[in-house]
Structure formats: C-alpha cells, structure tokens
Amino acid sequence: MPSKKLINKLNEQIKHEFFSAHYYLAMAAFCTEKSLDGFANFFIAQAEEERFHAMKFFDFLTEIGETPVITGFDDPKRDFSSLEEVFQLSLEHEKLVTSLINDILEIAQEEKHHPTVSFLQWFVDEQVEEEDTMSQILDKIKMVGENSPGTLFLDGELGKRKFSAE
Ligand code: FEO
C-alpha cells in the first residue's frame, strides 16, 4: 500500500508535466514571433509529449486505485530574449524534472512499492533522452550563432519533428 506521501508526489507530478507543456508552448509562441516555425513545431511537439507524460501519471494513479488530484500552477515565463536562452532554460527545466522523478523513485524504493518503481523506470530513461535532446540543440545553436544561416538550417530540421506516443 503506497503512503500518502508517495501518492501526493505522484499527483504533483501530473501538475509538473502539464506545467512543462505550458512552458514549452510559451517557448513555441516566442519562436513563432521570430518566424522560426520549425523551432515552434519542435516546442509544440514537446508540449504534446509533456501532456502525454502527465496522462501517464494520471492513468497510473487510477490503475493503483487512487483518484488523481488535478491542481493549477503559475503562469510560465513568456519573456525570452534569444533561442540560446530558450534552450538553456529548457535544459535546466528538464534537469529539474529529472530530479523530481528521482525523488519520487527514491520514496517508492524506500517503501518497496514495486509498481511505482517499475512505472518510473520509463521516466528515468525518458529524462536521459530529454536532457540529451535539449543539450544537443543548445550546443548547435551556440555553434552556428544566433541569426545565422545555420539557425535557418536548424529551423528546417526541427520542423520535421512529430510527436508520437511511445
Ligand atoms: Fe516530462 Fe520533459 O519531462
């Protein structure tokens, strides 16, 4: 039987994942303002992925006999100054999410709640991928420099991203 503490953490993660979706949508809006539709597409797909993550927590809670608790959150940051800042913040945000997942995992391990430990393994792997993606794009932006032909090339590449639930 999971503790109230563990259930609260799982519920809070629904909020964090939906917040992530809003945060990335705010970044997408910044990119559309700059006419960087490929970068915008990347963040819109990322927002869809975050909503998918939120629903995984929602579904898991119902599967273990709990009622998900839906709460609100503050407005995400909207005033960005550059693509580099946007990806720096994305990377920092993914590192924060990784630490939140790790916290829940440690509680589940202490309680020996094996279903939660098993469920979170997917997120542990996912976070490695998410941090790596943000880090790689950040490196490339630094490499080509903002407002360069390289930025337009990256825009074309990121415009190909499509979200698929896996
Ligand atoms: Fe749901 Fe980007 O972590």
Side-chain angles (χ1 to χ4, degrees):
M1 181 89 178
S3 69
K4 190 75 193 149
K5 181 180 170 187
L6 180 54
I7 295 303
N8 285 346
K9 286 283 183 186
L10 288 164
N11 271 309
E12 279 171 21
Q13 197 59 30
I14 298 176
K15 175 182 72 180
H16 292 309
E17 300 291 347
F18 276 126
F19 175 80
S20 301
H22 261 50
Y23 197 18
Y24 289 132
L25 214 45
M27 293 180 184
F30 168 80
C31 295
T32 60
E33 193 190 328
K34 301 267 175 215
S35 299
L36 292 169
D37 293 346
F39 280 92
N41 173 69
F42 171 85
F43 281 116
I44 288 168
Q46 186 64 33
E48 282 181 60
E49 189 160 325
E50 299 301 350
R51 286 190 284 270
F52 171 67
H53 292 173
M55 290 310 297
K56 278 179 92 79
F57 279 93
F58 183 102
D59 291 341
F60 178 68
L61 279 156
T62 62
E63 282 166 12
I64 61 170
E66 298 291 334
T67 305
V69 178
I70 304 304
T71 57
F73 41 77
D74 293 337
D75 289 348
K77 177 180 170 65
R78 288 189 295 261
D79 54 333
F80 305 106
S81 59
S82 65
L83 276 179
E84 184 173 333
E85 184 196 21
V86 160
F87 277 92
Q88 186 65 52
L89 290 172
S90 299
L91 178 58
E92 283 166 22
H93 185 69
E94 287 306 329
K95 286 182 176 173
L96 170 70
V97 173
T98 299
S99 73
L100 294 169
I101 298 288
N102 289 344
D103 284 350
I104 311 173
L105 180 58
E106 281 163 28
I107 295 167
Q109 284 168 334
E110 279 164 23
E111 293 183 15
K112 297 186 171 36
H113 193 254
H114 300 297
T116 301
V117 172
S118 173
F119 166 69
L120 289 176
Q121 193 55 53
W122 184 91
F123 282 91
V124 170
D125 297 340
E126 177 72 5
Q127 284 310 120
V128 172
E129 202 179 302
E130 300 240 306
E131 284 189 33
D132 183 50
T133 300
M134 297 306 182
S135 174
Q136 282 202 33
I137 299 172
L138 176 61
D139 285 349
K140 285 177 181 148
I141 289 168
K142 285 180 181 169
M143 210 182 294
V144 300
E146 201 120 358
N147 303 323
S148 70
T151 304
L152 293 181
F153 173 77
L154 287 176
D155 192 58
E157 289 299 299
L158 295 178
K160 295 174 192 164
R161 180 182 180 186
K162 286 189 174 61
F163 168 70
S164 73
E166 284 170 5

